Amino acid sequence: MPKQDRSRATRRRLLEAAVACLAEHGWAGSTVSVVAERAGVSRGAAQHHFRTREDLFTAAVEYVAEERSTALRALFPEGAADRRAVIAALVDLYTGPLFRAALHLWVAASNEDQLRPRVTELEDRIGRETHRIAVELLGADESVPGVRETVQGLLDMARGLGLANLLTDDTGRRDRVVAQWAELLDEALA
Amino acid sequence: MPKQDRSRATRRRLLEAAVACLAEHGWAGSTVSVVAERAGVSRGAAQHHFRTREDLFTAAVEYVAEERSTALRALFPEGAADRRAVIAALVDLYTGPLFRAALHLWVAASNEDQLRPRVTELEDRIGRETHRIAVELLGADESVPGVRETVQGLLDMARGLGLANLLTDDTGRRDRVVAQWAELLDEALA
């Protein structure tokens, strides 16, 4: 592999290990050393890519969020699609390891001044991008009063469903809630 | 004050200090000593009331959740009331220090085996009680298919709105989302 490709592959391994580490061990248990070991990379190489712990973990959440956005768009290559399927896919964004990792980062940022501005900015960026994708795939017309808030509320609900899935497997209940709200939202957006 | 009343007052002071402490400093910064000092109680007296850190903080979240439930019912003494007002009051449950404290406890429990079963059981109990109040105040008829899930989705949305309020003041956006979803719910539950 050429040097540049190797460097990019190392970076990606570190980012993926960082998200997995955050999701499993939380912020307190997530250090550059732990991630480097998990990724099979030396601590020095890890620090070459990411100068600080904050750099590594905010970059990791951003990278995986972008991967998820790309995957979500790829699920619906034609753009606006069956609303129920889109709603289910949007909710799925909030129930996997990425959401768990992001949640640990947000909660840590609420008490850590060093982390707070970076995570606030990151959350804002990811939130806007997710909203943009949701509007596009749902074929929602935001020039109609209330439509913007209907879509925002759906993403808030998805975030709340993610939280409800943190300690126990909430799949059964979630599927029923999503089925019901998909029906209500389909009507509201029609 | 009779001895029993004094003991009850001390206990209450400890519980309130514990929730404030969790909300401000998170789980890592919340110990029995910190709470005892904040409550103006000796460490020994605090440990007389709560044997372990887990005892203190789960009892604190439960106590404040019960206080909030009582206050919510008191807002609508006639039972089923104007749905928009009820929805706004339900969402308010998730945007104050209690939600912030509970969130820290949940997230810590997801990585700590000692905390996890207790917080899971607590979350389940508080969730069921909040659902019961919501159904009652919204005058929702759960024998109608979909109504149960409609109310559950509303509480999931409220939880997501609480999370969105963690790092920045989200009041303006939240008010618009709640107004729109209150309209959707009012129609769905009519």
Side-chain angles (χ1 to χ4, degrees):
Chain A
M1 253 202 289
K3 197 175 166 201
Q4 210 189 325
D5 290 356
R6 253 184 301 141
S7 168
R8 213 177 292 141
T10 300
R11 189 184 147 89
R12 200 166 50 233
R13 274 218 309 285
L14 284 166
L15 294 171
E16 280 163 3
V19 162
C21 184
L22 255 185
E24 276 172 39
H25 306 299
W27 176 248
S30 293
T31 62
V32 177
S33 299
V34 168
V35 170
E37 197 183 325
R38 185 176 191 131
V41 168
S42 75
R43 195 162 188 286
Q47 278 186 323
H48 168 76
H49 284 278
F50 303 98
R51 221 174 41 80
T52 68
R53 186 182 179 209
E54 287 77 16
D55 287 343
L56 170 59
F57 289 98
T58 51
V61 166
E62 177 152 33
Y63 168 77
V64 179
E66 276 165 11
E67 294 275 290
R68 296 295 312 259
S69 295
T70 306
L72 181 58
R73 285 193 203 267
L75 272 182
F76 305 101
E78 313 282 312
D82 172 57
R83 283 204 193 93
R84 284 147 209 252
V86 171
I87 288 169
L90 284 167
V91 169
D92 279 349
L93 282 181
Y94 295 86
T95 49
L98 167 63
F99 176 75
R100 203 172 280 256
L103 182 61
H104 281 292
L105 202 62
W106 290 340
V107 167
S110 77
N111 303 121
E112 290 199 21
D113 290 343
Q114 229 176 329
L115 206 50
R116 191 187 182 105
R118 301 188 57 168
V119 175
T120 302
E121 196 261 335
L122 175 65
E123 189 197 347
D124 190 50
R125 200 137 32 92
I126 296 177
R128 268 183 286 123
E129 173 63 9
T130 310
H131 183 87
R132 197 167 17 241
I133 298 177
V135 165
E136 184 188 316
L137 296 182
L138 292 167
D141 178 1
E142 291 201 305
S143 69
V144 176
V147 164
R148 182 173 176 74
E149 289 76 18
T150 299
V151 175
Q152 285 181 327
L154 164 64
L155 296 176
D156 287 312
M157 188 183 73
R159 211 182 289 122
L161 287 166
L163 200 48
N165 202 51
L166 186 65
L167 297 182
T168 49
D169 178 1
D170 190 41
T171 312
R173 188 191 74 93
R174 182 173 64 248
D175 286 350
R176 292 190 294 277
V177 170
V178 169
Q180 170 64 8
W181 273 93
E183 208 165 301
L184 295 176
L185 288 165
D186 195 35
E187 237 169 84
L189 294 174
Chain B
M1 255 204 288
K3 196 175 166 199
Q4 210 188 325
D5 290 356
R6 253 184 300 142
S7 169
R8 212 176 295 141
T10 300
R11 189 184 148 88
R12 201 167 49 233
R13 274 217 309 285
L14 284 166
L15 294 171
E16 281 163 3
V19 163
C21 184
L22 255 185
E24 277 172 38
H25 306 299
W27 175 248
S30 294
T31 63
V32 177
S33 299
V34 168
V35 171
E37 196 183 326
R38 184 173 192 134
V41 168
S42 75
R43 195 162 188 285
Q47 277 186 321
H48 168 75
H49 284 278
F50 303 98
R51 222 174 40 79
T52 68
R53 188 184 177 205
E54 287 77 16
D55 286 344
L56 170 59
F57 288 98
T58 52
V61 166
E62 177 152 36
Y63 168 77
V64 178
E66 277 167 10
E67 295 274 291
R68 296 294 314 258
S69 294
T70 306
L72 181 57
R73 284 193 203 268
L75 271 182
F76 305 101
E78 315 280 314
D82 172 58
R83 281 205 193 95
R84 284 147 208 251
V86 170
I87 289 166
L90 284 167
V91 168
D92 279 349
L93 283 181
Y94 295 86
T95 49
L98 168 62
F99 176 75
R100 202 173 281 257
L103 182 62
H104 282 292
L105 202 63
W106 289 340
V107 167
S110 78
N111 303 120
E112 291 199 21
D113 290 342
Q114 229 176 328
L115 206 50
R116 191 185 180 108
R118 302 190 55 170
V119 175
T120 303
E121 196 262 333
L122 176 65
E123 189 196 348
D124 190 51
R125 200 138 29 91
I126 296 176
R128 268 184 286 123
E129 172 63 8
T130 309
H131 183 86
R132 195 163 23 236
I133 297 177
V135 165
E136 185 188 316
L137 296 182
L138 291 168
D141 178 0
E142 291 201 306
S143 70
V144 176
V147 164
R148 183 175 176 73
E149 290 75 19
T150 300
V151 174
Q152 286 180 328
L154 164 65
L155 295 176
D156 287 311
M157 187 194 67
R159 211 182 289 121
L161 286 169
L163 200 49
N165 201 50
L166 187 65
L167 297 182
T168 49
D169 178 1
D170 190 40
T171 312
R173 187 191 76 92
R174 181 172 67 247
D175 286 351
R176 292 189 293 276
V177 171
V178 169
Q180 171 65 10
W181 273 59
E183 213 165 296
L184 295 177
L185 275 159
D186 200 34
E187 235 169 84
L189 295 174

